[in-house]
Amino acid sequence: MTKIVILTGAGVSAESGLGTFRDKGGLWSRYDLNEVATPEGFARNPALVHEFYNARRRNCLESAPNAAHHALARLEKDYPGEVLIVTQNVDDLHERAGSRAVWHMHGALSGALCAACGHRWAAPVEMQAAAPCPACAAPATRPDIVWFGEMPYHMEAIWDALRAADLFVAIGTSGNVYPAAAFAQDAARAGAETLELNLEPSDTVSDFDAARHGPASRIVPEWVAEMLARP
Ligand code: OAD
């Protein structure tokens, strides 16, 4: 049975109207990563960090899955092997398209986390730092997002899945952020075939056995159709 592990990044949601980070005009050209995506930035100015993620949460609620998300959900449903999506994205567009096996390694906009006691709960659309934690009442509410300098979620399970994979596919990610940027090498070392699907060659394109370039809404459905047509 073939096991497919798919890593997705901001490029898969770009055509749904969610901003990517490093493209021209991307989020990191408009916001200082150190101020809005680090624990130190949050300690300095929690209101600014909440403003950033509240805007992204609103943006996500107004968006809808595109053809790439739908094709990946179809692959999980109809492919006679295992399909796992490991996503760096904090939106819920894979789930809204119908994918079930989705691991959010960088957290999710839908989650709130108490920085004092670690309690997690469903995020309100407008999150505020002073809102008390439902478990310990500390005014230490933060988004359940993994920031730079923090350990991504599910790492042991992800490395296990990469070691067991027959095929690793990276979709819409620039290959700038570790540990995800090393997944193609990790999977290849364990014997998997590797494929990149991205708008343009990523920074790690040379780590892949094959690559196809174009908008995710076109190249992902094409690839899924080929996978489902295989004898
Ligand atoms: P990036 O913004 O770094 O890269 C997005 C990639 O998607 C680029 O290589 C684009 O060429 C490609 N792309 C853009 N539009 C596309 C389209 N329509 N179809 C296909 N590809 C497209 O985003 P990520 O690689 O996801 O982390 O960034 C990784 C992490 O860095 C994020 O999870 C976030 C960020 O800082 C944290 O916030 C911790």
Side-chain angles (χ1 to χ4, degrees):
M1 186 156 84
T2 302
K3 294 184 174 161
I4 306 175
V5 176
I6 298 166
L7 172 72
T8 61
V12 80
S13 297
E15 291 163 87
S16 293
L18 301 186
T20 59
F21 297 96
R22 294 174 184 78
D23 293 303
K24 196 160 176 286
L27 286 164
W28 294 155
S29 69
R30 289 180 282 134
Y31 297 89
D32 183 345
L33 177 163
N34 292 303
E35 297 307 324
V36 300
T38 61
E40 295 77 16
F42 185 63
R44 277 193 296 272
N45 192 346
L48 175 74
V49 174
H50 279 297
E51 203 179 290
F52 176 71
Y53 287 101
N54 287 344
R56 299 193 58 208
R57 196 174 296 105
R58 283 194 300 271
N59 191 198
C60 179
L61 283 170
E62 288 158 5
S63 70
N66 65 53
H69 299 101
H70 287 297
L72 294 177
R74 192 161 61 247
L75 184 69
E76 181 185 353
K77 189 159 102 15
D78 294 343
Y79 189 68
E82 281 177 28
V83 176
L84 168 67
I85 294 176
V86 175
T87 187
Q88 298 167 92
N89 297 344
V90 293
D91 65 59
D92 60 354
L93 296 181
H94 286 305
E95 287 89 342
R96 279 158 59 192
S99 288
R100 300 249 177 282
V102 183
W103 296 350
H104 284 268
M105 63 181 290
H106 289 169
L109 287 168
S110 58
L113 169 66
C114 175
C117 77
H119 180 67
R120 290 189 160 83
W121 68 101
V125 178
E126 297 292 322
M127 204 185 276
Q128 282 166 11
C133 165
C136 75
T141 293
R142 58 169 279 182
D144 192 3
I145 304 276
V146 177
W147 288 324
F148 288 93
E150 299 183 318
M151 178 56 104
Y153 296 152
H154 314 295
M155 285 315 304
E156 290 303 323
I158 292 170
W159 278 314
D160 284 347
L162 292 170
R163 276 192 287 270
D166 299 295
L167 175 61
F168 171 77
V169 187
I171 305 176
T173 178
S174 63
N176 269 277
V177 177
Y178 286 84
F183 286 175
Q185 287 183 342
D186 295 336
R189 208 176 299 121
E193 269 181 56
T194 55
L195 171 66
E196 166 170 296
L197 301 177
N198 205 53
L199 187 60
E200 58 197 11
S202 75
D203 291 347
T204 49
V205 67
S206 60
D207 292 342
F208 292 83
D209 297 318
R212 300 181 189 186
H213 298 125
S217 65
R218 176 171 61 78
I219 64 176
V220 177
E222 283 172 5
W223 170 70
V224 166
E226 284 172 32
M227 292 302 291
L228 293 178
R230 277 190 182 181

